[in-house]
Amino acid sequence: MNKPMSPEAGLKQLKADIENFCRLYVPSGEIEVKDKGKIIHDTIWRTNYFEPYEIEIIHSPLFQRLRYINQMGFVDFVYPSARHSRFEHSLGVTILAGRMIDAVMQNSVRRQNKASELLGEDVRKSIRMSALLHDVGHCLYSHTSELVYGAELKKLIKCQFPDGNKPSPHEFLSYLIVTSDVFRDYFEKIKSKYCLHNIDIDIDDIALRIVGHTKGDELKEYATNFIAGPLDADKLDYFYRDSQFSGIPIQLDLDRLLHELDISSIGEANILTVSEVGVICIEQMIFNKMILYSSIYTHHKVEAIDCMFRGVFEYIEENNIPLNIGGKQKKPETAADFLYLVDYHLFALADETEDEKLKELINNIRNRKLLKRAFLITRKSIETENADKVSWAGIIKLLYQDKDEAKRNQYLRDLAREIHKESKADCSPYEIWVDIPKSPISDEIQTIMVRPRKNTGTQCEGIEKYYPLAQYKDLYETNRLNGYVFAPERCREQVAQAAKTVLEKRLSVKFNDFAVVR
């Protein structure tokens, strides 16, 4: 997708492209001051008040475009009611961030600690603004499009943030939008018109919070934790929202979790922590995540459609097909080009293009003519004599050989094309995919810090002291996580046999009959 250039040059070009995008989507004229805020009703969080300056952001084209980006990508092709957008999710995260702050303030007063001194009105406003803007960098079909532009973008992320946490691609795009000159000017107008200059709302704090960083001050790390951390408002909102709209029930005692939140000093940092009593809520969160991943996010049909989407853009890339990007016909060259695309552009392209193969690839998605599972890559599908190699981590190591993400993606595509060639099947290489989902139990969960039940002088300890994360991760990956080889139904059997031949040769293992899907 990107033109060959150094990461430094690529980052400079991306920032210039972001400025151009913002010129179209960020208001540039005078701001008409709203004398009062608005009440917004939400299915999950009910009735909530938004300040006038927050409504100003919400009414901007930059924020309104989120209405046309499905929160869960193509999940509604499997769970029909999962049609909520990034727009209402962003409102929900803002609402929940405010409630979390209010809860910590109340807990601080009750426990007679100094946390309430850290959460003044300026901090509250700033955190809510970070919550409101945290997803403005999402592109069509949310995380699905990140599968296309994400790997290359991560090289530029490393260039911008050589140390510390590495944000996800859409978070980085949100960061670049918020720190662009165009948005800075717009935000300064908002501060001026709404008399916010006497309140410490710093645009760099807002932007860094989105990508999980602080501005060189660990004493303010707690403020970032509300937006980007193991207990953040983003996760809590999508737990409830995705569950509600997909129809997959979860159980989380949110009231108890909020009751057990507080800010603790650990070393030189002030961070958001949960009490020992609240560990049961963390257990619920972990189970919820496993349920949502296995039932929804990594459902094999959802994974298949994601692969079909990637096939569309791989075809566009390899055949130099231009798209309507910002009013110009051009091939996507940087991640910023995807910001101009929302969900309806995909199917509009099928109606506009004269390329029959591209039309077919897109219409296969539109008409739900999905790729099928031909071959399973899982612990259960490997012969028992290879038991020393069949943990999920072992399979991943055999597959990837410690490659970085960009090389992993290319390796899997090369593997899929080798399978296509071996199969001699009557289909295109854009319809054969090797797909390896990620585990829901990430390293971030391990950073949760737990306070002792009573103020006995005992230090806060990591969640693993209270909860066997490693064992649950191993059990989930062993029993619920599957890799797939996808193919069109008409050539499923040929591809399955070819996959068995190629993978056994590549991995030096034997697959049993369970691997071939019939």
Side-chain angles (χ1 to χ4, degrees):
M1 180 179 67
N2 289 22
K3 296 177 180 178
M5 60 176 71
S6 69
E8 293 76 15
L11 181 59
K12 183 178 179 181
Q13 180 62 54
L14 178 62
K15 289 181 177 180
D17 291 341
I18 292 289
E19 292 286 350
N20 290 331
F21 167 78
C22 289
R23 289 188 185 98
L24 283 179
Y25 284 88
V26 175
S28 58
E30 285 298 312
I31 292 175
E32 183 179 343
V33 177
K34 299 168 180 60
D35 58 357
K36 59 182 179 179
K38 285 185 179 291
I39 297 293
I40 296 180
H41 300 281
D42 181 76
T43 300
I44 308 298
W45 308 121
R46 314 313 298 170
T47 304
N48 302 275
Y49 178 76
F50 284 78
E51 297 287 350
Y53 58 87
E54 294 174 331
I55 296 299
E56 178 67 42
I57 296 286
I58 292 168
H59 283 177
S60 71
L62 176 68
F63 197 88
Q64 289 293 314
R65 63 181 279 281
L66 298 180
R67 290 182 183 274
Y68 312 107
I69 299 174
N70 196 310
Q71 161 85 1
M72 300 175 75
F74 288 102
V75 167
D76 64 308
F77 278 60
V78 180
Y79 296 92
S81 60
R83 300 182 63 83
H84 52 299
S85 73
R86 287 283 156 184
F87 181 87
E88 53 261 43
H89 166 66
S90 296
L91 298 180
V93 174
T94 307
I95 293 163
L96 195 49
R99 292 190 185 181
M100 290 173 71
I101 294 167
D102 293 342
V104 172
M105 290 282 283
Q106 293 171 8
N107 298 341
S108 173
V109 171
R110 188 177 69 254
R111 294 167 186 146
Q112 298 182 335
N113 60 31
K114 296 182 179 181
S116 59
E117 299 173 10
L118 302 173
L119 292 171
E121 190 60 23
D122 55 342
V123 177
R124 190 179 195 278
K125 284 179 164 58
S126 182
I127 291 173
R128 277 179 61 97
M129 188 59 68
S130 296
L132 198 61
L133 294 167
H134 83 285
D135 267 354
V136 292
H138 261 300
C139 308
L140 71 166
Y141 291 102
S142 294
H143 294 293
T144 303
S145 58
E146 283 184 285
L147 299 172
V148 178
Y149 68 78
E152 290 299 317
L153 189 59
K154 288 191 176 181
K155 297 177 183 178
L156 309 188
I157 294 172
K158 188 175 181 180
C159 185
Q160 178 74 35
F161 300 111
D163 303 312
N165 296 331
K166 299 297 185 291
S168 65
H170 82 272
E171 290 171 342
F172 186 54
L173 291 179
S174 297
Y175 168 85
L176 293 179
I177 290 169
V178 172
T179 56
S180 68
D181 291 339
V182 174
F183 190 88
R184 284 180 188 275
D185 291 344
Y186 173 57
F187 196 71
E188 284 303 312
K189 288 180 184 178
I190 292 175
K191 289 175 69 174
S192 177
K193 291 291 185 178
Y194 289 98
C195 301
L196 298 177
H197 282 299
N198 60 333
I199 298 177
D200 184 19
I201 302 182
D202 182 83
I203 197 69
D204 290 310
D205 280 340
I206 290 169
L208 285 170
R209 213 170 280 135
I210 291 170
V211 292
H213 290 251
T214 56
K215 203 164 78 174
D217 187 354
E218 290 184 337
L219 293 175
K220 294 182 179 179
E221 189 173 333
Y222 64 91
T224 297
N225 296 154
F226 285 101
I227 305 301
L231 298 171
D232 62 42
D234 185 18
K235 292 179 183 62
L236 293 175
D237 182 82
Y238 84 65
F239 280 162
Y240 278 95
R241 196 170 300 278
D242 292 358
S243 168
Q244 172 84 5
F245 285 96
S246 64
I248 301 296
I250 63 168
Q251 186 67 42
L252 173 60
D253 189 348
L254 182 61
D255 289 340
R256 186 55 184 262
L257 177 62
L258 295 181
H259 186 79
E260 301 303 333
L261 292 180
D262 209 338
I263 296 172
S264 304
S265 295
I266 299 178
E268 297 181 356
N270 290 325
I271 69 171
L272 195 63
T273 60
V274 66
S275 76
E276 185 178 346
V277 178
V279 168
I280 183 64
C281 301
I282 306 303
E283 185 174 19
Q284 290 174 335
M285 288 179 64
I286 293 168
F287 271 98
N288 287 339
K289 200 169 185 182
M290 290 192 290
I291 289 168
L292 292 175
Y293 265 73
S294 62
S295 301
I296 303 175
Y297 306 140
T298 60
H299 188 288
H300 65 90
K301 292 188 186 298
V302 175
E303 293 286 317
I305 305 173
D306 285 349
C307 289
M308 295 169 73
F309 178 90
R310 294 167 67 187
V312 167
F313 279 91
E314 187 176 275
Y315 184 85
I316 289 170
E317 166 71 18
E318 293 185 359
N319 292 275
N320 295 307
I321 297 174
L323 306 180
N324 187 341
I325 295 175
K328 299 178 181 178
Q329 289 292 318
K330 58 174 291 191
K331 193 180 82 170
E333 294 177 342
T334 72
D337 290 331
F338 283 85
L339 289 168
Y340 296 93
L341 304 175
V342 294
D343 293 2
Y344 57 71
H345 286 120
L346 177 67
F347 299 134
L349 178 59
D351 298 328
E352 296 164 359
T353 186
E354 295 180 359
D355 188 297
E356 290 302 319
K357 185 60 183 179
L358 179 59
K359 191 185 294 287
E360 177 192 346
L361 291 172
I362 298 173
N363 281 334
N364 283 344
I365 299 175
R366 175 153 60 183
N367 299 325
R368 208 176 179 278
K369 189 177 179 182
L370 306 185
L371 299 179
K372 303 294 184 179
R373 293 173 294 173
F375 196 82
L376 292 180
I377 306 169
T378 179
R379 180 170 176 170
K380 295 176 182 177
S381 65
I382 295 177
E383 292 287 2
T384 54
E385 59 260 36
N386 294 285
D388 58 325
K389 298 179 181 178
V390 298
S391 71
W392 185 253
I395 292 172
I396 295 301
K397 188 170 180 62
L398 285 169
L399 272 171
Y400 291 142
Q401 302 298 318
D402 298 322
K403 294 175 173 63
D404 64 30
E405 184 161 358
K407 290 180 180 177
R408 287 183 181 188
N409 290 348
Q410 188 57 54
Y411 174 79
L412 292 183
R413 286 312 290 139
D414 292 343
L415 201 59
R417 287 180 179 246
E418 185 178 346
I419 291 169
H420 174 257
K421 184 177 180 181
E422 174 74 22
S423 71
K424 298 181 174 60
D426 180 24
C427 62
S428 74
Y430 310 106
E431 298 173 288
I432 305 293
W433 288 85
V434 179
D435 178 71
I436 308 295
K438 293 181 179 179
S439 171
I441 304 179
S442 63
D443 293 339
E444 185 185 53
I445 296 174
Q446 299 175 24
T447 65
I448 296 174
M449 298 300 290
V450 181
R451 301 188 313 278
R453 186 184 296 261
K454 295 182 180 179
N455 187 15
T456 58
T458 306
Q459 297 285 330
C460 292
E461 294 182 299
I463 186 66
E464 286 193 286
K465 291 285 185 179
Y466 298 85
Y467 189 80
L469 273 178
Q471 291 94 316
Y472 277 103
K473 186 173 188 289
D474 181 65
L475 285 170
Y476 180 90
E477 292 176 351
T478 298
N479 297 290
R480 303 303 298 272
L481 207 54
N482 297 324
Y484 304 107
V485 177
F486 291 115
E489 187 167 16
R490 66 182 181 277
C491 49
R492 196 173 178 179
E493 187 172 339
Q494 289 171 273
V495 171
Q497 294 304 321
K500 186 173 188 294
T501 299
V502 170
L503 289 170
E504 286 186 342
K505 180 179 177 182
R506 285 285 194 111
L507 305 183
S508 299
V509 297
K510 292 290 184 182
F511 287 92
N512 56 35
D513 290 342
F514 184 77
V516 178
V517 182
R518 294 182 172 84

